[in-house]
Short mmCIF file of all heavy atoms in Angstrom, two decimals:
data_model
loop_
_atom_site.label_atom_id
_atom_site.label_comp_id
_atom_site.label_asym_id
_atom_site.label_seq_id
_atom_site.Cartn_x
_atom_site.Cartn_y
_atom_site.Cartn_z
N VAL Q 148 -0.79 -108.82 42.10
CA VAL Q 148 -1.37 -109.94 42.85
C VAL Q 148 -0.61 -110.14 44.16
O VAL Q 148 0.62 -110.12 44.19
CB VAL Q 148 -1.33 -111.23 42.01
CG1 VAL Q 148 -1.75 -112.44 42.84
CG2 VAL Q 148 -2.23 -111.09 40.79
N ASN Q 149 -1.36 -110.33 45.25
CA ASN Q 149 -0.72 -110.54 46.55
C ASN Q 149 -0.11 -111.93 46.65
O ASN Q 149 -0.37 -112.80 45.81
CB ASN Q 149 -1.72 -110.29 47.69
CG ASN Q 149 -2.93 -111.23 47.61
OD1 ASN Q 149 -2.79 -112.42 47.35
ND2 ASN Q 149 -4.12 -110.69 47.87
N GLU Q 150 0.68 -112.12 47.70
CA GLU Q 150 1.40 -113.40 47.84
C GLU Q 150 0.46 -114.56 48.12
O GLU Q 150 0.81 -115.72 47.89
CB GLU Q 150 2.45 -113.29 48.95
CG GLU Q 150 1.92 -112.97 50.34
CD GLU Q 150 1.73 -111.48 50.57
OE1 GLU Q 150 1.84 -110.72 49.60
OE2 GLU Q 150 1.43 -111.11 51.72
N ILE Q 151 -0.74 -114.27 48.60
CA ILE Q 151 -1.71 -115.34 48.88
C ILE Q 151 -2.34 -115.84 47.60
O ILE Q 151 -2.70 -117.01 47.48
CB ILE Q 151 -2.79 -114.84 49.86
CG1 ILE Q 151 -2.14 -114.37 51.16
CG2 ILE Q 151 -3.81 -115.93 50.16
CD1 ILE Q 151 -3.09 -113.71 52.12
N GLY Q 152 -2.49 -114.94 46.64
CA GLY Q 152 -3.09 -115.34 45.36
C GLY Q 152 -4.60 -115.42 45.40
O GLY Q 152 -5.21 -116.05 44.53
N ILE Q 153 -5.22 -114.82 46.41
CA ILE Q 153 -6.68 -114.79 46.53
C ILE Q 153 -7.12 -113.35 46.71
O ILE Q 153 -6.51 -112.60 47.48
CB ILE Q 153 -7.17 -115.65 47.72
CG1 ILE Q 153 -6.73 -117.10 47.54
CG2 ILE Q 153 -8.69 -115.57 47.87
CD1 ILE Q 153 -7.00 -117.96 48.76
N ALA Q 154 -8.16 -112.97 46.01
CA ALA Q 154 -8.60 -111.58 46.03
C ALA Q 154 -9.58 -111.32 47.16
O ALA Q 154 -10.43 -112.16 47.47
CB ALA Q 154 -9.25 -111.21 44.70
N CYS Q 155 -9.48 -110.12 47.76
CA CYS Q 155 -10.56 -109.66 48.64
C CYS Q 155 -11.80 -109.46 47.79
O CYS Q 155 -11.72 -109.07 46.62
CB CYS Q 155 -10.17 -108.35 49.32
SG CYS Q 155 -8.83 -108.52 50.53
N ASN Q 156 -12.95 -109.71 48.37
CA ASN Q 156 -14.19 -109.70 47.59
C ASN Q 156 -15.26 -108.88 48.32
O ASN Q 156 -16.27 -109.43 48.78
CB ASN Q 156 -14.66 -111.13 47.36
CG ASN Q 156 -15.65 -111.23 46.22
OD1 ASN Q 156 -16.20 -110.23 45.77
ND2 ASN Q 156 -15.89 -112.44 45.75
N PRO Q 157 -15.06 -107.55 48.45
CA PRO Q 157 -16.03 -106.74 49.18
C PRO Q 157 -17.40 -106.69 48.54
O PRO Q 157 -18.41 -106.51 49.23
CB PRO Q 157 -15.37 -105.35 49.22
CG PRO Q 157 -14.45 -105.35 48.05
CD PRO Q 157 -13.94 -106.74 47.92
N LEU Q 158 -17.47 -106.87 47.21
CA LEU Q 158 -18.77 -106.87 46.56
C LEU Q 158 -19.59 -108.09 46.99
O LEU Q 158 -20.80 -107.98 47.25
CB LEU Q 158 -18.61 -106.85 45.04
CG LEU Q 158 -17.91 -105.63 44.43
CD1 LEU Q 158 -17.95 -105.70 42.91
CD2 LEU Q 158 -18.54 -104.34 44.91
N ALA Q 159 -18.92 -109.24 47.08
CA ALA Q 159 -19.63 -110.44 47.55
C ALA Q 159 -20.03 -110.28 49.01
O ALA Q 159 -21.13 -110.70 49.40
CB ALA Q 159 -18.74 -111.67 47.39
N GLN Q 160 -19.16 -109.67 49.83
CA GLN Q 160 -19.52 -109.44 51.22
C GLN Q 160 -20.82 -108.64 51.33
O GLN Q 160 -21.73 -108.98 52.08
CB GLN Q 160 -18.39 -108.70 51.95
CG GLN Q 160 -17.15 -109.54 52.19
CD GLN Q 160 -16.04 -108.74 52.86
OE1 GLN Q 160 -15.49 -107.81 52.27
NE2 GLN Q 160 -15.72 -109.08 54.09
N ALA Q 161 -20.89 -107.56 50.55
CA ALA Q 161 -22.08 -106.71 50.59
C ALA Q 161 -23.31 -107.42 50.05
O ALA Q 161 -24.39 -107.38 50.64
CB ALA Q 161 -21.82 -105.42 49.81
N GLU Q 162 -23.15 -108.11 48.90
CA GLU Q 162 -24.31 -108.73 48.26
C GLU Q 162 -24.84 -109.90 49.07
O GLU Q 162 -26.06 -110.15 49.11
CB GLU Q 162 -23.95 -109.18 46.85
CG GLU Q 162 -23.69 -108.03 45.88
CD GLU Q 162 -24.88 -107.10 45.73
OE1 GLU Q 162 -26.03 -107.54 45.93
OE2 GLU Q 162 -24.65 -105.91 45.42
N ILE Q 163 -23.96 -110.64 49.74
CA ILE Q 163 -24.43 -111.73 50.61
C ILE Q 163 -25.26 -111.15 51.75
O ILE Q 163 -26.32 -111.67 52.10
CB ILE Q 163 -23.24 -112.55 51.14
CG1 ILE Q 163 -22.64 -113.39 50.00
CG2 ILE Q 163 -23.66 -113.45 52.30
CD1 ILE Q 163 -21.33 -114.05 50.34
N MET Q 164 -24.78 -110.07 52.34
CA MET Q 164 -25.53 -109.44 53.43
C MET Q 164 -26.85 -108.85 52.92
O MET Q 164 -27.87 -108.92 53.62
CB MET Q 164 -24.68 -108.37 54.11
CG MET Q 164 -23.50 -108.97 54.86
SD MET Q 164 -22.49 -107.72 55.68
CE MET Q 164 -21.12 -108.75 56.23
N ASN Q 165 -26.83 -108.31 51.71
CA ASN Q 165 -28.08 -107.83 51.12
C ASN Q 165 -29.09 -108.96 51.00
O ASN Q 165 -30.27 -108.81 51.35
CB ASN Q 165 -27.82 -107.22 49.74
CG ASN Q 165 -27.00 -105.94 49.80
OD1 ASN Q 165 -26.85 -105.32 50.85
ND2 ASN Q 165 -26.45 -105.53 48.66
N GLN Q 166 -28.61 -110.10 50.49
CA GLN Q 166 -29.50 -111.25 50.30
C GLN Q 166 -29.98 -111.81 51.62
O GLN Q 166 -31.13 -112.28 51.74
CB GLN Q 166 -28.78 -112.33 49.48
CG GLN Q 166 -29.67 -113.51 49.13
CD GLN Q 166 -29.03 -114.43 48.11
OE1 GLN Q 166 -28.45 -113.98 47.13
NE2 GLN Q 166 -29.11 -115.73 48.34
N GLU Q 167 -29.12 -111.76 52.63
CA GLU Q 167 -29.48 -112.29 53.94
C GLU Q 167 -30.38 -111.34 54.73
O GLU Q 167 -30.89 -111.69 55.80
CB GLU Q 167 -28.22 -112.60 54.75
CG GLU Q 167 -27.42 -113.78 54.22
CD GLU Q 167 -28.17 -115.09 54.39
OE1 GLU Q 167 -28.54 -115.42 55.53
OE2 GLU Q 167 -28.43 -115.75 53.37
N GLY Q 168 -30.54 -110.12 54.22
CA GLY Q 168 -31.46 -109.18 54.85
C GLY Q 168 -30.95 -108.54 56.14
O GLY Q 168 -31.73 -108.30 57.06
N THR Q 169 -29.66 -108.25 56.19
CA THR Q 169 -29.15 -107.58 57.39
C THR Q 169 -29.72 -106.16 57.46
O THR Q 169 -29.98 -105.51 56.45
CB THR Q 169 -27.61 -107.51 57.37
OG1 THR Q 169 -27.18 -106.88 56.16
CG2 THR Q 169 -27.01 -108.91 57.46
N GLU Q 170 -29.90 -105.69 58.69
CA GLU Q 170 -30.49 -104.36 58.91
C GLU Q 170 -29.45 -103.30 59.24
O GLU Q 170 -29.72 -102.10 59.17
CB GLU Q 170 -31.51 -104.45 60.05
CG GLU Q 170 -32.64 -105.43 59.77
CD GLU Q 170 -33.34 -105.85 61.03
OE1 GLU Q 170 -32.89 -106.83 61.67
OE2 GLU Q 170 -34.34 -105.18 61.40
N LEU Q 171 -28.27 -103.74 59.61
CA LEU Q 171 -27.14 -102.86 59.92
C LEU Q 171 -25.88 -103.66 59.70
O LEU Q 171 -25.80 -104.82 60.12
CB LEU Q 171 -27.21 -102.38 61.37
CG LEU Q 171 -26.03 -101.55 61.89
CD1 LEU Q 171 -25.95 -100.20 61.18
CD2 LEU Q 171 -26.12 -101.34 63.41
N ASN Q 172 -24.90 -103.07 59.02
CA ASN Q 172 -23.66 -103.78 58.74
C ASN Q 172 -22.47 -103.09 59.41
O ASN Q 172 -22.39 -101.86 59.40
CB ASN Q 172 -23.41 -103.88 57.23
CG ASN Q 172 -24.37 -104.83 56.55
OD1 ASN Q 172 -24.88 -105.77 57.16
ND2 ASN Q 172 -24.65 -104.57 55.28
N PHE Q 173 -21.58 -103.91 59.96
CA PHE Q 173 -20.36 -103.42 60.58
C PHE Q 173 -19.15 -103.81 59.73
O PHE Q 173 -19.11 -104.89 59.16
CB PHE Q 173 -20.18 -104.03 61.97
CG PHE Q 173 -21.26 -103.65 62.95
CD1 PHE Q 173 -22.17 -104.59 63.39
CD2 PHE Q 173 -21.36 -102.35 63.42
CE1 PHE Q 173 -23.16 -104.26 64.29
CE2 PHE Q 173 -22.35 -102.00 64.33
CZ PHE Q 173 -23.25 -102.96 64.77
N ILE Q 174 -18.17 -102.93 59.70
CA ILE Q 174 -16.88 -103.24 59.05
C ILE Q 174 -15.85 -103.47 60.14
O ILE Q 174 -15.71 -102.66 61.05
CB ILE Q 174 -16.43 -102.08 58.14
CG1 ILE Q 174 -17.32 -101.99 56.91
CG2 ILE Q 174 -14.97 -102.25 57.73
CD1 ILE Q 174 -16.98 -100.83 55.99
N TYR Q 175 -15.14 -104.59 60.01
CA TYR Q 175 -14.02 -104.82 60.91
C TYR Q 175 -12.76 -105.02 60.06
O TYR Q 175 -12.46 -106.12 59.60
CB TYR Q 175 -14.24 -106.04 61.82
CG TYR Q 175 -13.36 -105.97 63.05
CD1 TYR Q 175 -13.89 -105.68 64.29
CD2 TYR Q 175 -11.98 -106.13 62.96
CE1 TYR Q 175 -13.09 -105.56 65.41
CE2 TYR Q 175 -11.16 -106.02 64.06
CZ TYR Q 175 -11.72 -105.74 65.28
OH TYR Q 175 -10.92 -105.60 66.38
N GLY Q 176 -12.05 -103.92 59.81
CA GLY Q 176 -10.71 -103.99 59.25
C GLY Q 176 -10.59 -104.25 57.76
O GLY Q 176 -9.57 -104.79 57.33
N LEU Q 177 -11.56 -103.89 56.95
CA LEU Q 177 -11.38 -104.06 55.51
C LEU Q 177 -10.31 -103.09 55.00
O LEU Q 177 -10.10 -102.02 55.56
CB LEU Q 177 -12.69 -103.81 54.76
CG LEU Q 177 -13.86 -104.74 55.10
CD1 LEU Q 177 -15.02 -104.47 54.13
CD2 LEU Q 177 -13.46 -106.20 55.07
N CYS Q 178 -9.66 -103.47 53.90
CA CYS Q 178 -8.62 -102.62 53.32
C CYS Q 178 -9.22 -101.30 52.84
O CYS Q 178 -10.39 -101.23 52.47
CB CYS Q 178 -7.97 -103.32 52.13
SG CYS Q 178 -7.07 -104.83 52.54
N VAL Q 179 -8.38 -100.27 52.83
CA VAL Q 179 -8.79 -99.00 52.24
C VAL Q 179 -9.19 -99.25 50.78
O VAL Q 179 -8.45 -99.86 50.01
CB VAL Q 179 -7.65 -97.97 52.30
CG1 VAL Q 179 -8.00 -96.73 51.49
CG2 VAL Q 179 -7.35 -97.58 53.74
N GLY Q 180 -10.33 -98.78 50.39
CA GLY Q 180 -10.83 -99.00 49.03
C GLY Q 180 -11.80 -100.16 48.98
O GLY Q 180 -12.90 -100.04 48.40
#
């Protein structure tokens, strides 16, 4: 567990964009993996 105690949530990032109907997605600095 990191010192912040909050998890990165890439699945939620993707699913929110799926639900919002984005046509192209950009990544700005997500962790490897």
Side-chain angles (χ1 to χ4, degrees):
V148 172
N149 60 42
E150 61 276 9
I151 301 173
I153 300 172
C155 291
N156 199 345
L158 298 186
Q160 289 178 293
E162 292 301 333
I163 288 170
M164 292 181 188
N165 293 344
Q166 185 169 316
E167 290 293 302
T169 55
E170 300 160 273
L171 174 67
N172 290 333
F173 297 111
I174 289 177
Y175 201 107
L177 299 188
C178 296
V179 171

